[in-house]
Amino acid sequence: MIKQKKIVAISGSIREGSSNTNILKAAAAFIPQDIEYIIYDGIKDLPHFNPDVDRMKPEDVVTNFRKIIDESDALIICTPEYAKGVPGVLKNALEWLVSSAELYKKPVAVITASPSILGGDKAHESLMYTLGMMDATVVKNGSLLFPTVRTKFNDDATVKDESTKQELIALINSLVDEINN
Ligand SMILES: Cc1cc2nc3c(=O)[nH]c(=O)nc-3n(C[C@H](O)[C@H](O)[C@H](O)COP(=O)(O)O)c2cc1C
């Protein structure tokens, strides 16, 4: 039996009503039906990364997180920028995956979204460095910035305009092509 492919999405914002989580919910409409798509909302429960604990036995929440990422075929990360960088909660989650290497060669798509006109460019750049260090595969056309995000998505996780929709579809298609080939 052919195993169903799975895409895991992670929002860099744990805020109720997050525009980044809203984008990941909007993306669900464009994921092919034969691919499982889950938005993992557990990064808020991970302890602070500590190399001492990493070398011993980390808590179950860390082990479960690693397993979910390991069993995924691809990842979509959608994050805001905080203080010109990646939100600590997301960076912390990624640090738990460094030594265990679940992101090694994992196809990844990266979105940053911001109410500003810069689209979270500094967080985007920083996240790309981190993923590069972890040897994740950011897929071709798998990188998007959504500036002025509040003009592009409705609160009910639908896209407001055709060009935003096409950008999101192109990103998802790149990821799907990568995992299907
Ligand atoms: C502490 C803090 C720092 C922020 N720093 C930035 C920033 O450096 N660049 C930026 O574009 N937006 C910044 N913002 C605004 C966020 O982009 C905005 O709050 C966004 O809606 C957060 O994403 P979310 O809606 O997914 O929670 C900051 C917001 C907070 C609360």
Side-chain angles (χ1 to χ4, degrees):
M1 201 176 78
I2 298 167
K3 195 177 142 280
Q4 188 183 25
K5 298 278 168 75
K6 186 195 280 189
I7 296 176
V8 171
I10 294 179
S11 174
S13 172
I14 59 172
R15 188 175 72 82
E16 192 75 34
S18 153
S19 49
N20 284 272
T21 308
N22 195 39
I23 292 170
L24 292 175
K25 289 178 182 167
F30 310 118
I31 306 278
Q33 298 246 314
D34 60 343
I35 294 181
E36 188 184 355
Y37 178 69
I38 63 157
I39 300 175
Y40 176 77
D41 68 352
I43 63 169
K44 61 184 182 309
D45 303 318
L46 294 168
H48 291 157
F49 176 71
N50 179 340
D52 292 339
V53 180
D54 193 28
R55 273 191 293 273
M56 297 176 298
K57 192 187 175 311
E59 291 174 35
D60 287 351
V61 67
V62 173
T63 308
N64 289 340
F65 173 56
R66 287 174 168 168
K67 185 166 182 281
I68 285 166
I69 301 302
D70 192 42
E71 289 176 355
S72 72
D73 296 283
L75 202 64
I76 303 178
I77 298 173
C78 184
T79 185
E81 177 176 272
Y82 280 170
K84 297 289 171 201
V86 176
V89 67
L90 174 60
K91 182 66 169 31
N92 183 60
L94 294 175
E95 286 167 9
W96 280 113
L97 304 177
V98 173
S99 71
S100 45
E102 285 82 6
L103 286 190
Y104 180 73
K105 304 294 179 209
K106 181 82 68 187
V108 180
V110 174
I111 304 170
T112 51
S114 167
S116 91
I117 53 165
L118 297 176
D121 59 331
K122 295 289 183 290
H124 200 99
E125 193 183 347
S126 174
L127 185 53
M128 291 299 219
Y129 272 120
T130 300
L131 293 170
M133 179 273 170
M134 297 169 82
D135 263 330
T137 303
V138 178
V139 298
K140 193 164 171 271
N141 302 320
S143 162
L144 263 181
L145 286 84
F146 282 130
T148 62
V149 64
R150 297 203 175 114
T151 68
K152 298 179 194 297
F153 293 88
N154 299 305
D155 290 343
D156 66 352
T158 53
V159 184
K160 278 187 177 169
D161 63 273
E162 190 58 28
S163 74
T164 301
K165 181 178 163 186
Q166 291 309 326
E167 282 185 294
L168 199 52
I169 289 173
L171 175 126
I172 290 164
N173 287 347
S174 297
L175 203 56
V176 169
D177 285 350
E178 182 77 21
I179 64 178
N180 280 338
N181 290 321

